[in-house]
mmCIF file of all heavy atoms in Angstrom:
data_model
loop_
_atom_site.group_PDB
_atom_site.id
_atom_site.type_symbol
_atom_site.label_atom_id
_atom_site.label_comp_id
_atom_site.label_asym_id
_atom_site.label_seq_id
_atom_site.Cartn_x
_atom_site.Cartn_y
_atom_site.Cartn_z
ATOM 1 N N ASN A 15 -14.381 13.546 -1.729
ATOM 2 C CA ASN A 15 -14.381 12.271 -2.454
ATOM 3 C C ASN A 15 -15.761 11.628 -2.445
ATOM 4 O O ASN A 15 -16.514 11.770 -1.482
ATOM 5 C CB ASN A 15 -13.385 11.302 -1.810
ATOM 6 C CG ASN A 15 -11.947 11.661 -2.103
ATOM 7 O OD1 ASN A 15 -11.538 11.695 -3.258
ATOM 8 N ND2 ASN A 15 -11.174 11.951 -1.059
ATOM 9 N N SER A 16 -16.061 10.915 -3.516
ATOM 10 C CA SER A 16 -17.286 10.119 -3.553
ATOM 11 C C SER A 16 -17.098 8.895 -2.666
ATOM 12 O O SER A 16 -15.974 8.552 -2.270
ATOM 13 C CB SER A 16 -17.586 9.676 -4.983
ATOM 14 O OG SER A 16 -16.563 8.817 -5.452
ATOM 15 N N ASN A 17 -18.187 8.211 -2.363
ATOM 16 C CA ASN A 17 -18.101 7.006 -1.540
ATOM 17 C C ASN A 17 -17.216 5.956 -2.190
ATOM 18 O O ASN A 17 -16.427 5.290 -1.520
ATOM 19 C CB ASN A 17 -19.496 6.420 -1.303
ATOM 20 C CG ASN A 17 -20.312 7.255 -0.333
ATOM 21 O OD1 ASN A 17 -19.761 7.840 0.590
ATOM 22 N ND2 ASN A 17 -21.606 7.319 -0.540
ATOM 23 N N SER A 18 -17.333 5.806 -3.513
ATOM 24 C CA SER A 18 -16.533 4.799 -4.213
ATOM 25 C C SER A 18 -15.052 5.154 -4.172
ATOM 26 O O SER A 18 -14.198 4.274 -4.052
ATOM 27 C CB SER A 18 -17.007 4.646 -5.661
ATOM 28 O OG SER A 18 -16.895 5.864 -6.361
ATOM 29 N N ASN A 19 -14.722 6.450 -4.240
ATOM 30 C CA ASN A 19 -13.319 6.864 -4.200
ATOM 31 C C ASN A 19 -12.737 6.675 -2.796
ATOM 32 O O ASN A 19 -11.576 6.289 -2.638
ATOM 33 C CB ASN A 19 -13.184 8.314 -4.641
ATOM 34 C CG ASN A 19 -11.832 8.600 -5.260
ATOM 35 O OD1 ASN A 19 -11.223 7.711 -5.854
ATOM 36 N ND2 ASN A 19 -11.351 9.817 -5.138
ATOM 37 N N ILE A 20 -13.555 6.945 -1.781
ATOM 38 C CA ILE A 20 -13.122 6.711 -0.398
ATOM 39 C C ILE A 20 -12.809 5.231 -0.195
ATOM 40 O O ILE A 20 -11.802 4.864 0.428
ATOM 41 C CB ILE A 20 -14.197 7.186 0.606
ATOM 42 C CG1 ILE A 20 -14.275 8.720 0.604
ATOM 43 C CG2 ILE A 20 -13.902 6.674 2.013
ATOM 44 C CD1 ILE A 20 -15.429 9.272 1.415
ATOM 45 N N GLN A 21 -13.656 4.373 -0.751
ATOM 46 C CA GLN A 21 -13.428 2.936 -0.644
ATOM 47 C C GLN A 21 -12.159 2.519 -1.372
ATOM 48 O O GLN A 21 -11.440 1.613 -0.929
ATOM 49 C CB GLN A 21 -14.636 2.168 -1.196
ATOM 50 C CG GLN A 21 -15.854 2.261 -0.292
ATOM 51 C CD GLN A 21 -17.080 1.581 -0.873
ATOM 52 O OE1 GLN A 21 -17.039 1.054 -1.983
ATOM 53 N NE2 GLN A 21 -18.175 1.594 -0.130
ATOM 54 N N SER A 22 -11.847 3.201 -2.494
ATOM 55 C CA SER A 22 -10.619 2.906 -3.241
ATOM 56 C C SER A 22 -9.393 3.252 -2.412
ATOM 57 O O SER A 22 -8.410 2.501 -2.374
ATOM 58 C CB SER A 22 -10.594 3.684 -4.559
ATOM 59 O OG SER A 22 -11.623 3.257 -5.417
ATOM 60 N N PHE A 23 -9.436 4.407 -1.730
ATOM 61 C CA PHE A 23 -8.331 4.800 -0.852
ATOM 62 C C PHE A 23 -8.191 3.797 0.299
ATOM 63 O O PHE A 23 -7.080 3.435 0.690
ATOM 64 C CB PHE A 23 -8.567 6.198 -0.284
ATOM 65 C CG PHE A 23 -8.024 7.307 -1.147
ATOM 66 C CD1 PHE A 23 -8.866 8.076 -1.932
ATOM 67 C CD2 PHE A 23 -6.656 7.572 -1.176
ATOM 68 C CE1 PHE A 23 -8.373 9.098 -2.732
ATOM 69 C CE2 PHE A 23 -6.151 8.594 -1.969
ATOM 70 C CZ PHE A 23 -7.011 9.361 -2.752
ATOM 71 N N ASP A 24 -9.325 3.346 0.832
ATOM 72 C CA ASP A 24 -9.308 2.397 1.941
ATOM 73 C C ASP A 24 -8.704 1.067 1.504
ATOM 74 O O ASP A 24 -7.931 0.452 2.246
ATOM 75 C CB ASP A 24 -10.725 2.193 2.471
ATOM 76 C CG ASP A 24 -10.752 1.385 3.758
ATOM 77 O OD1 ASP A 24 -9.999 1.733 4.693
ATOM 78 O OD2 ASP A 24 -11.503 0.395 3.830
ATOM 79 N N SER A 25 -9.026 0.631 0.284
ATOM 80 C CA SER A 25 -8.479 -0.626 -0.240
ATOM 81 C C SER A 25 -6.972 -0.526 -0.418
ATOM 82 O O SER A 25 -6.233 -1.462 -0.097
ATOM 83 C CB SER A 25 -9.137 -0.975 -1.587
ATOM 84 O OG SER A 25 -10.512 -1.225 -1.420
ATOM 85 N N ALA A 26 -6.511 0.625 -0.935
ATOM 86 C CA ALA A 26 -5.071 0.837 -1.119
ATOM 87 C C ALA A 26 -4.360 0.858 0.233
ATOM 88 O O ALA A 26 -3.269 0.284 0.393
ATOM 89 C CB ALA A 26 -4.822 2.135 -1.872
ATOM 90 N N LYS A 27 -4.975 1.494 1.218
ATOM 91 C CA LYS A 27 -4.406 1.549 2.569
ATOM 92 C C LYS A 27 -4.269 0.140 3.148
ATOM 93 O O LYS A 27 -3.229 -0.196 3.754
ATOM 94 C CB LYS A 27 -5.296 2.414 3.464
ATOM 95 C CG LYS A 27 -4.878 2.451 4.925
ATOM 96 C CD LYS A 27 -5.896 3.251 5.740
ATOM 97 C CE LYS A 27 -5.675 3.083 7.229
ATOM 98 N NZ LYS A 27 -6.690 3.813 8.021
ATOM 99 N N LYS A 28 -5.278 -0.693 2.962
ATOM 100 C CA LYS A 28 -5.228 -2.068 3.474
ATOM 101 C C LYS A 28 -4.085 -2.845 2.834
ATOM 102 O O LYS A 28 -3.395 -3.626 3.504
ATOM 103 C CB LYS A 28 -6.564 -2.777 3.226
ATOM 104 C CG LYS A 28 -7.687 -2.295 4.135
ATOM 105 C CD LYS A 28 -9.006 -2.969 3.788
ATOM 106 C CE LYS A 28 -10.128 -2.463 4.709
ATOM 107 N NZ LYS A 28 -11.440 -3.029 4.322
ATOM 108 N N LYS A 29 -3.869 -2.625 1.524
ATOM 109 C CA LYS A 29 -2.766 -3.310 0.839
ATOM 110 C C LYS A 29 -1.422 -2.833 1.381
ATOM 111 O O LYS A 29 -0.484 -3.622 1.545
ATOM 112 C CB LYS A 29 -2.850 -3.069 -0.668
ATOM 113 C CG LYS A 29 -3.955 -3.853 -1.355
ATOM 114 C CD LYS A 29 -3.645 -5.334 -1.363
ATOM 115 C CE LYS A 29 -4.723 -6.156 -2.046
ATOM 116 N NZ LYS A 29 -5.983 -6.198 -1.286
ATOM 117 N N LEU A 30 -1.300 -1.541 1.631
ATOM 118 C CA LEU A 30 -0.056 -0.996 2.176
ATOM 119 C C LEU A 30 0.218 -1.538 3.583
ATOM 120 O O LEU A 30 1.363 -1.819 3.940
ATOM 121 C CB LEU A 30 -0.120 0.532 2.206
ATOM 122 C CG LEU A 30 0.094 1.218 0.859
ATOM 123 C CD1 LEU A 30 -0.417 2.653 0.896
ATOM 124 C CD2 LEU A 30 1.568 1.191 0.471
ATOM 125 N N ILE A 31 -0.841 -1.706 4.369
ATOM 126 C CA ILE A 31 -0.678 -2.260 5.724
ATOM 127 C C ILE A 31 -0.263 -3.729 5.644
ATOM 128 O O ILE A 31 0.601 -4.186 6.398
ATOM 129 C CB ILE A 31 -1.982 -2.077 6.539
ATOM 130 C CG1 ILE A 31 -2.195 -0.598 6.861
ATOM 131 C CG2 ILE A 31 -1.936 -2.908 7.824
ATOM 132 C CD1 ILE A 31 -3.526 -0.279 7.515
ATOM 133 N N GLU A 32 -0.850 -4.471 4.694
ATOM 134 C CA GLU A 32 -0.438 -5.867 4.498
ATOM 135 C C GLU A 32 1.018 -5.936 4.048
ATOM 136 O O GLU A 32 1.740 -6.895 4.361
ATOM 137 C CB GLU A 32 -1.337 -6.539 3.457
ATOM 138 C CG GLU A 32 -2.750 -6.824 3.931
ATOM 139 C CD GLU A 32 -3.579 -7.523 2.867
ATOM 140 O OE1 GLU A 32 -3.257 -8.689 2.551
ATOM 141 O OE2 GLU A 32 -4.518 -6.896 2.332
ATOM 142 N N TYR A 33 1.443 -4.925 3.332
ATOM 143 C CA TYR A 33 2.807 -4.876 2.781
ATOM 144 C C TYR A 33 3.857 -4.632 3.860
ATOM 145 O O TYR A 33 4.796 -5.415 4.015
ATOM 146 C CB TYR A 33 2.846 -3.791 1.699
ATOM 147 C CG TYR A 33 4.208 -3.323 1.252
ATOM 148 C CD1 TYR A 33 5.191 -4.223 0.847
ATOM 149 C CD2 TYR A 33 4.504 -1.959 1.224
ATOM 150 C CE1 TYR A 33 6.441 -3.771 0.436
ATOM 151 C CE2 TYR A 33 5.743 -1.505 0.805
ATOM 152 C CZ TYR A 33 6.709 -2.418 0.411
ATOM 153 O OH TYR A 33 7.940 -1.967 -0.001
ATOM 154 N N LYS A 34 3.691 -3.575 4.649
ATOM 155 C CA LYS A 34 4.730 -3.215 5.620
ATOM 156 C C LYS A 34 4.192 -2.820 7.003
ATOM 157 O O LYS A 34 4.928 -2.255 7.799
ATOM 158 C CB LYS A 34 5.577 -2.056 5.090
ATOM 159 C CG LYS A 34 6.537 -2.423 3.967
ATOM 160 C CD LYS A 34 7.685 -3.302 4.444
ATOM 161 C CE LYS A 34 8.669 -3.566 3.327
ATOM 162 N NZ LYS A 34 9.771 -4.459 3.732
ATOM 163 N N GLY A 35 2.920 -3.099 7.267
ATOM 164 C CA GLY A 35 2.379 -2.792 8.578
ATOM 165 C C GLY A 35 1.798 -1.388 8.676
ATOM 166 O O GLY A 35 1.931 -0.571 7.769
ATOM 167 N N SER A 36 1.163 -1.109 9.805
ATOM 168 C CA SER A 36 0.427 0.145 9.985
ATOM 169 C C SER A 36 1.235 1.234 10.683
ATOM 170 O O SER A 36 0.766 2.362 10.818
ATOM 171 C CB SER A 36 -0.853 -0.113 10.785
ATOM 172 O OG SER A 36 -0.532 -0.675 12.055
ATOM 173 N N ASP A 37 2.446 0.914 11.141
ATOM 174 C CA ASP A 37 3.224 1.878 11.925
ATOM 175 C C ASP A 37 4.250 2.647 11.102
ATOM 176 O O ASP A 37 5.125 3.308 11.653
ATOM 177 C CB ASP A 37 3.947 1.169 13.081
ATOM 178 C CG ASP A 37 2.979 0.713 14.163
ATOM 179 O OD1 ASP A 37 1.932 1.379 14.322
ATOM 180 O OD2 ASP A 37 3.246 -0.302 14.817
ATOM 181 N N ILE A 38 4.151 2.552 9.793
ATOM 182 C CA ILE A 38 5.098 3.244 8.918
ATOM 183 C C ILE A 38 4.965 4.759 9.098
ATOM 184 O O ILE A 38 3.853 5.314 9.069
ATOM 185 C CB ILE A 38 4.848 2.868 7.446
ATOM 186 C CG1 ILE A 38 5.234 1.406 7.204
ATOM 187 C CG2 ILE A 38 5.624 3.773 6.495
ATOM 188 C CD1 ILE A 38 6.718 1.129 7.319
ATOM 189 N N GLY A 39 6.101 5.423 9.305
ATOM 190 C CA GLY A 39 6.090 6.877 9.414
ATOM 191 C C GLY A 39 6.263 7.525 8.054
ATOM 192 O O GLY A 39 6.773 6.905 7.111
ATOM 193 N N ILE A 40 5.851 8.765 7.937
ATOM 194 C CA ILE A 40 6.011 9.492 6.676
ATOM 195 C C ILE A 40 7.485 9.532 6.274
ATOM 196 O O ILE A 40 7.829 9.374 5.098
ATOM 197 C CB ILE A 40 5.443 10.923 6.809
ATOM 198 C CG1 ILE A 40 3.924 10.868 6.999
ATOM 199 C CG2 ILE A 40 5.803 11.770 5.585
ATOM 200 C CD1 ILE A 40 3.292 12.207 7.323
ATOM 201 N N SER A 41 8.363 9.690 7.248
ATOM 202 C CA SER A 41 9.802 9.772 6.955
ATOM 203 C C SER A 41 10.381 8.436 6.488
ATOM 204 O O SER A 41 11.506 8.387 5.978
ATOM 205 C CB SER A 41 10.564 10.262 8.188
ATOM 206 O OG SER A 41 10.359 9.378 9.281
ATOM 207 N N ASP A 42 9.628 7.337 6.665
ATOM 208 C CA ASP A 42 10.105 6.016 6.234
ATOM 209 C C ASP A 42 9.859 5.761 4.757
ATOM 210 O O ASP A 42 10.336 4.755 4.212
ATOM 211 C CB ASP A 42 9.400 4.907 7.041
ATOM 212 C CG ASP A 42 9.722 4.969 8.531
ATOM 213 O OD1 ASP A 42 10.879 5.305 8.849
ATOM 214 O OD2 ASP A 42 8.826 4.698 9.347
ATOM 215 N N ILE A 43 9.090 6.627 4.111
ATOM 216 C CA ILE A 43 8.725 6.411 2.710
ATOM 217 C C ILE A 43 9.879 6.859 1.812
ATOM 218 O O ILE A 43 10.117 8.052 1.629
ATOM 219 C CB ILE A 43 7.437 7.173 2.334
ATOM 220 C CG1 ILE A 43 6.318 6.851 3.316
ATOM 221 C CG2 ILE A 43 7.017 6.827 0.907
ATOM 222 C CD1 ILE A 43 5.957 5.392 3.403
ATOM 223 N N ASN A 44 10.602 5.874 1.276
ATOM 224 C CA ASN A 44 11.687 6.171 0.348
ATOM 225 C C ASN A 44 11.457 5.429 -0.967
ATOM 226 O O ASN A 44 10.421 4.773 -1.143
ATOM 227 C CB ASN A 44 13.041 5.783 0.968
ATOM 228 C CG ASN A 44 13.052 4.344 1.470
ATOM 229 O OD1 ASN A 44 12.294 3.503 0.988
ATOM 230 N ND2 ASN A 44 13.905 4.065 2.442
ATOM 231 N N TYR A 45 12.420 5.532 -1.853
ATOM 232 C CA TYR A 45 12.269 4.888 -3.169
ATOM 233 C C TYR A 45 12.087 3.379 -3.033
ATOM 234 O O TYR A 45 11.238 2.785 -3.695
ATOM 235 C CB TYR A 45 13.493 5.191 -4.038
ATOM 236 C CG TYR A 45 13.549 4.357 -5.301
ATOM 237 C CD1 TYR A 45 12.672 4.600 -6.363
ATOM 238 C CD2 TYR A 45 14.469 3.317 -5.424
ATOM 239 C CE1 TYR A 45 12.704 3.820 -7.507
ATOM 240 C CE2 TYR A 45 14.503 2.532 -6.568
ATOM 241 C CZ TYR A 45 13.629 2.789 -7.609
ATOM 242 O OH TYR A 45 13.665 2.012 -8.741
ATOM 243 N N LYS A 46 12.860 2.748 -2.149
ATOM 244 C CA LYS A 46 12.768 1.287 -1.983
ATOM 245 C C LYS A 46 11.386 0.874 -1.492
ATOM 246 O O LYS A 46 10.833 -0.137 -1.951
ATOM 247 C CB LYS A 46 13.848 0.816 -0.997
ATOM 248 C CG LYS A 46 13.939 -0.700 -0.855
ATOM 249 C CD LYS A 46 15.063 -1.095 0.083
ATOM 250 C CE LYS A 46 15.235 -2.615 0.128
ATOM 251 N NZ LYS A 46 14.032 -3.337 0.552
ATOM 252 N N TYR A 47 10.828 1.635 -0.544
ATOM 253 C CA TYR A 47 9.486 1.338 -0.044
ATOM 254 C C TYR A 47 8.484 1.344 -1.202
ATOM 255 O O TYR A 47 7.649 0.433 -1.326
ATOM 256 C CB TYR A 47 9.080 2.364 1.008
ATOM 257 C CG TYR A 47 7.678 2.184 1.570
ATOM 258 C CD1 TYR A 47 7.457 1.414 2.706
ATOM 259 C CD2 TYR A 47 6.581 2.792 0.961
ATOM 260 C CE1 TYR A 47 6.179 1.243 3.227
ATOM 261 C CE2 TYR A 47 5.295 2.631 1.473
ATOM 262 C CZ TYR A 47 5.095 1.860 2.599
ATOM 263 O OH TYR A 47 3.835 1.696 3.099
ATOM 264 N N CYS A 48 8.574 2.354 -2.058
ATOM 265 C CA CYS A 48 7.639 2.494 -3.174
ATOM 266 C C CYS A 48 7.867 1.409 -4.225
ATOM 267 O O CYS A 48 6.919 0.781 -4.708
ATOM 268 C CB CYS A 48 7.779 3.876 -3.811
ATOM 269 S SG CYS A 48 7.389 5.237 -2.700
ATOM 270 N N ARG A 49 9.143 1.187 -4.562
ATOM 271 C CA ARG A 49 9.463 0.181 -5.588
ATOM 272 C C ARG A 49 9.021 -1.210 -5.171
ATOM 273 O O ARG A 49 8.407 -1.956 -5.950
ATOM 274 C CB ARG A 49 10.970 0.194 -5.850
ATOM 275 C CG ARG A 49 11.442 -0.798 -6.916
ATOM 276 C CD ARG A 49 12.923 -1.064 -6.781
ATOM 277 N NE ARG A 49 13.225 -1.741 -5.511
ATOM 278 C CZ ARG A 49 14.452 -1.865 -5.015
ATOM 279 N NH1 ARG A 49 15.478 -1.332 -5.659
ATOM 280 N NH2 ARG A 49 14.646 -2.491 -3.874
ATOM 281 N N ASP A 50 9.299 -1.571 -3.924
ATOM 282 C CA ASP A 50 8.983 -2.918 -3.457
ATOM 283 C C ASP A 50 7.486 -3.119 -3.238
ATOM 284 O O ASP A 50 7.015 -4.258 -3.181
ATOM 285 C CB ASP A 50 9.755 -3.235 -2.172
ATOM 286 C CG ASP A 50 11.262 -3.368 -2.420
ATOM 287 O OD1 ASP A 50 11.657 -3.373 -3.602
ATOM 288 O OD2 ASP A 50 12.019 -3.445 -1.436
ATOM 289 N N PHE A 51 6.739 -2.018 -3.089
ATOM 290 C CA PHE A 51 5.277 -2.136 -3.002
ATOM 291 C C PHE A 51 4.726 -2.698 -4.308
ATOM 292 O O PHE A 51 3.792 -3.511 -4.305
ATOM 293 C CB PHE A 51 4.648 -0.780 -2.686
ATOM 294 C CG PHE A 51 3.151 -0.804 -2.509
ATOM 295 C CD1 PHE A 51 2.537 -1.784 -1.744
ATOM 296 C CD2 PHE A 51 2.351 0.161 -3.114
ATOM 297 C CE1 PHE A 51 1.152 -1.816 -1.579
ATOM 298 C CE2 PHE A 51 0.971 0.143 -2.963
ATOM 299 C CZ PHE A 51 0.372 -0.849 -2.198
ATOM 300 N N ILE A 52 5.311 -2.285 -5.439
ATOM 301 C CA ILE A 52 4.895 -2.829 -6.740
ATOM 302 C C ILE A 52 5.160 -4.333 -6.788
ATOM 303 O O ILE A 52 4.308 -5.115 -7.232
ATOM 304 C CB ILE A 52 5.644 -2.124 -7.893
ATOM 305 C CG1 ILE A 52 5.168 -0.674 -8.036
ATOM 306 C CG2 ILE A 52 5.439 -2.865 -9.212
ATOM 307 C CD1 ILE A 52 3.758 -0.527 -8.568
ATOM 308 N N SER A 53 6.333 -4.759 -6.309
ATOM 309 C CA SER A 53 6.662 -6.190 -6.291
ATOM 310 C C SER A 53 5.689 -6.964 -5.406
ATOM 311 O O SER A 53 5.262 -8.073 -5.745
ATOM 312 C CB SER A 53 8.092 -6.397 -5.786
ATOM 313 O OG SER A 53 9.017 -5.756 -6.645
ATOM 314 N N PHE A 54 5.332 -6.357 -4.262
ATOM 315 C CA PHE A 54 4.359 -6.988 -3.353
ATOM 316 C C PHE A 54 3.014 -7.175 -4.051
ATOM 317 O O PHE A 54 2.414 -8.250 -3.993
ATOM 318 C CB PHE A 54 4.190 -6.125 -2.105
ATOM 319 C CG PHE A 54 3.022 -6.521 -1.235
ATOM 320 C CD1 PHE A 54 3.124 -7.584 -0.345
ATOM 321 C CD2 PHE A 54 1.818 -5.825 -1.308
ATOM 322 C CE1 PHE A 54 2.042 -7.950 0.451
ATOM 323 C CE2 PHE A 54 0.738 -6.184 -0.525
ATOM 324 C CZ PHE A 54 0.850 -7.258 0.361
ATOM 325 N N LEU A 55 2.548 -6.134 -4.725
ATOM 326 C CA LEU A 55 1.259 -6.202 -5.419
ATOM 327 C C LEU A 55 1.301 -7.207 -6.566
ATOM 328 O O LEU A 55 0.338 -7.935 -6.807
ATOM 329 C CB LEU A 55 0.871 -4.818 -5.953
ATOM 330 C CG LEU A 55 0.550 -3.746 -4.901
ATOM 331 C CD1 LEU A 55 0.359 -2.393 -5.575
ATOM 332 C CD2 LEU A 55 -0.691 -4.115 -4.091
ATOM 333 N N ASP A 56 2.424 -7.246 -7.259
ATOM 334 C CA ASP A 56 2.560 -8.151 -8.396
ATOM 335 C C ASP A 56 2.490 -9.611 -7.967
ATOM 336 O O ASP A 56 1.992 -10.467 -8.696
ATOM 337 C CB ASP A 56 3.889 -7.880 -9.107
ATOM 338 C CG ASP A 56 3.980 -8.608 -10.437
ATOM 339 O OD1 ASP A 56 3.023 -8.517 -11.227
ATOM 340 O OD2 ASP A 56 5.006 -9.276 -10.682
ATOM 341 N N GLY A 57 2.958 -9.900 -6.744
ATOM 342 C CA GLY A 57 2.935 -11.275 -6.257
ATOM 343 C C GLY A 57 1.738 -11.599 -5.378
ATOM 344 O O GLY A 57 1.587 -12.738 -4.924
ATOM 345 N N PHE A 58 0.882 -10.605 -5.146
ATOM 346 C CA PHE A 58 -0.266 -10.788 -4.244
ATOM 347 C C PHE A 58 -1.304 -11.719 -4.863
ATOM 348 O O PHE A 58 -1.631 -11.608 -6.048
ATOM 349 C CB PHE A 58 -0.899 -9.438 -3.930
ATOM 350 C CG PHE A 58 -1.973 -9.500 -2.869
ATOM 351 C CD1 PHE A 58 -1.641 -9.391 -1.534
ATOM 352 C CD2 PHE A 58 -3.301 -9.685 -3.219
ATOM 353 C CE1 PHE A 58 -2.621 -9.450 -0.554
ATOM 354 C CE2 PHE A 58 -4.284 -9.745 -2.245
ATOM 355 C CZ PHE A 58 -3.944 -9.630 -0.908
ATOM 356 N N LYS A 59 -1.830 -12.629 -4.047
ATOM 357 C CA LYS A 59 -2.890 -13.523 -4.513
ATOM 358 C C LYS A 59 -4.156 -13.298 -3.686
ATOM 359 O O LYS A 59 -4.090 -13.222 -2.460
ATOM 360 C CB LYS A 59 -2.459 -14.984 -4.395
ATOM 361 C CG LYS A 59 -1.434 -15.400 -5.445
ATOM 362 C CD LYS A 59 -1.167 -16.892 -5.387
ATOM 363 C CE LYS A 59 -0.185 -17.324 -6.454
ATOM 364 N NZ LYS A 59 0.064 -18.788 -6.415
ATOM 365 N N LYS A 60 -5.272 -13.188 -4.370
ATOM 366 C CA LYS A 60 -6.558 -13.005 -3.700
ATOM 367 C C LYS A 60 -7.023 -14.331 -3.098
ATOM 368 O O LYS A 60 -6.397 -15.368 -3.300
ATOM 369 C CB LYS A 60 -7.594 -12.470 -4.704
ATOM 370 C CG LYS A 60 -7.254 -11.085 -5.225
ATOM 371 C CD LYS A 60 -8.329 -10.542 -6.144
ATOM 372 C CE LYS A 60 -8.250 -11.144 -7.530
ATOM 373 N NZ LYS A 60 -9.177 -10.491 -8.484
#
């Protein structure tokens, strides 16, 4: 990845941590987790 792409992944990771925390396991990722992430982003204010 380029530096800018690495930063993009890092920004997305930070949003996911703000959404449901940093301890989420791979097995916890279901449809509801993904769907509600969109709702979280839609209501997010900078």
Side-chain angles (χ1 to χ4, degrees):
N15 286 300
S16 64
N17 287 326
S18 60
N19 208 30
I20 290 172
Q21 288 176 358
S22 295
F23 271 104
D24 189 50
S25 295
K27 175 184 169 182
K28 287 176 180 176
K29 286 291 180 291
L30 283 162
I31 290 173
E32 288 181 67
Y33 165 52
K34 287 290 184 182
S36 59
D37 289 331
I38 291 293
I40 293 172
S41 59
D42 297 324
I43 308 301
N44 53 25
Y45 169 72
K46 186 177 185 302
Y47 178 91
C48 298
R49 181 200 65 193
D50 291 351
F51 183 45
I52 290 290
S53 299
F54 168 81
L55 293 173
D56 190 49
F58 188 87
K59 286 187 178 181
K60 295 184 282 188

